[in-house]
Amino acid sequence: MLEFEASQFLMRVQDKTIAYVGDSLGRQMFQSMMCMATAGEERTDVEDVGAEYGLALAPGAKRPDGWAYRFPSTNTTILYHWSSTLCDLEPLNPSDPATSYAMHLDRPPAFVRDNLHRIHVLVLNTGHHWNRGKLRANKWEMYVGGSPNHNKNIAAIWKAKNFTIHSVVKWLDAQLPRHPHLKAFYRSISPRHFFNGDWDTGGRCDSTSPLAKGSGISQNRSEDADAEGAVTGTRVKLLDVTALSRLRDEGHISRYSIKATQGIQDCLHWCLPGVPDTWNEILAAQLL
């Protein structure tokens, strides 16, 4: 691959919009790309255009549903939209602040549906929010076909995730002929590196040696079978980062988070600069 160079990259994506849609690992990929595109320097000319995409801070919210920034020199927009499960969420009772949400497993996020026509590069991801604790905490209820899901073959969390990934990729593939300008990617799952326990049971990732377990990948299949299976036979490309990222167990935030809670390490998210930069270098190489 050619070495990533910010000004050259921005020229290649002139008049284009790059959109990351997914969970906090998708947000890290967006943050990485913003740092790479600015070459790590303060850019006072970069414009906040979040309002154009409805990405504003809602009343009472800690953060907006995403961010969008434009580089005026090349009219390049880079944005991120939070959608941790890649399915459409709809309040069951919009007038009730404590309402539960229909989690439409067979519908893509409304943001993607509404903005697909003005996106040129789309990178989707999901994975780590698919657990019963997250569903309960967020008051998400599985829906399929507009009604509560009663299909036991979908109800299990891992099956619901797989069903959703296949649904959104299938929908996106069907849209691509109408949007010939669009290049669509599904990014495989980012690996966790918890050793001797999980995040809340003493698990840690305190290695300081890059590539201690090897420096190459020999397999010819993705470690993320759900992602690979979803894109097979479609025009959506797999951005396969799982196996190569697994070699970097020293690259996580570990105990050096802002909160630095005693006894808890973050072995899921990555330090920046770091591994997500490599994901973006692979992405950029496919946009030539």
Side-chain angles (χ1 to χ4, degrees), residues 205-208 250-262 264-267 269-272:
C205 50
D206 46 14
S207 168
T208 58
E250 94 302 341
H252 292 291
I253 294 169
S254 186
R255 60 181 175 276
Y256 303 104
S257 66
I258 294 174
K259 294 182 180 179
T261 303
Q262 187 69 27
I264 292 181
Q265 295 195 22
D266 184 347
C267 307
H269 300 97
W270 302 93
C271 296
L272 291 178

Side-chain angles (χ1 to χ4, degrees), residues 67-238:
W67 299 268
Y69 296 99
R70 183 165 297 140
F71 293 75
S73 59
T74 57
N75 191 35
T76 301
T77 302
I78 301 175
L79 67 84
Y80 164 76
H81 175 71
W82 168 265
S83 181
S84 59
T85 56
L86 279 188
C87 54
D88 201 22
L89 294 174
E90 183 181 41
L92 294 177
N93 183 1
S95 62
D96 180 7
T99 185
S100 296
Y101 289 80
M103 185 184 184
H104 295 286
L105 305 182
D106 51 352
R107 293 186 198 171
F111 179 88
V112 176
R113 294 199 314 267
D114 296 343
N115 292 284
L116 196 64
H117 63 285
R118 52 179 177 169
I119 295 172
H120 300 84
V121 179
L122 177 62
V123 183
L124 303 175
N125 91 285
T126 188
H128 293 292
H129 278 251
W130 289 89
N131 61 73
R132 289 294 174 188
K134 291 289 187 183
L135 265 65
R136 286 194 296 269
N138 290 293
K139 300 180 180 179
W140 292 338
E141 300 179 10
M142 294 184 188
Y143 273 57
V144 175
S147 301
N149 175 55
H150 298 294
N151 185 340
K152 293 182 179 179
N153 291 325
I154 299 175
I157 287 290
W158 69 270
K159 291 182 178 180
K161 175 175 78 75
N162 197 20
F163 177 82
T164 298
I165 294 171
H166 278 73
S167 294
V168 70
V169 169
K170 182 179 180 181
W171 172 85
L172 185 56
D173 183 53
Q175 303 303 310
L176 288 177
R178 306 175 204 171
H179 305 283
H181 64 280
L182 176 63
K183 291 187 177 182
F185 298 85
Y186 183 83
R187 203 210 73 215
S188 67
I189 198 165
S190 174
R192 298 151 33 108
H193 289 94
F194 287 97
F195 299 100
N196 301 315
D198 213 328
W199 70 273
D200 57 352
T201 58
R204 62 183 188 273
C205 50
D206 46 14
S207 168
T208 58
S209 301
L211 307 176
K213 297 179 177 63
S215 58
I217 304 298
S218 59
Q219 67 215 46
N220 59 6
R221 298 294 302 271
S222 174
E223 283 192 7
D224 188 344
D226 288 350
E228 185 176 50
V231 302
T232 299
T234 74
R235 286 154 289 201
V236 179
K237 293 184 177 182
L238 178 66

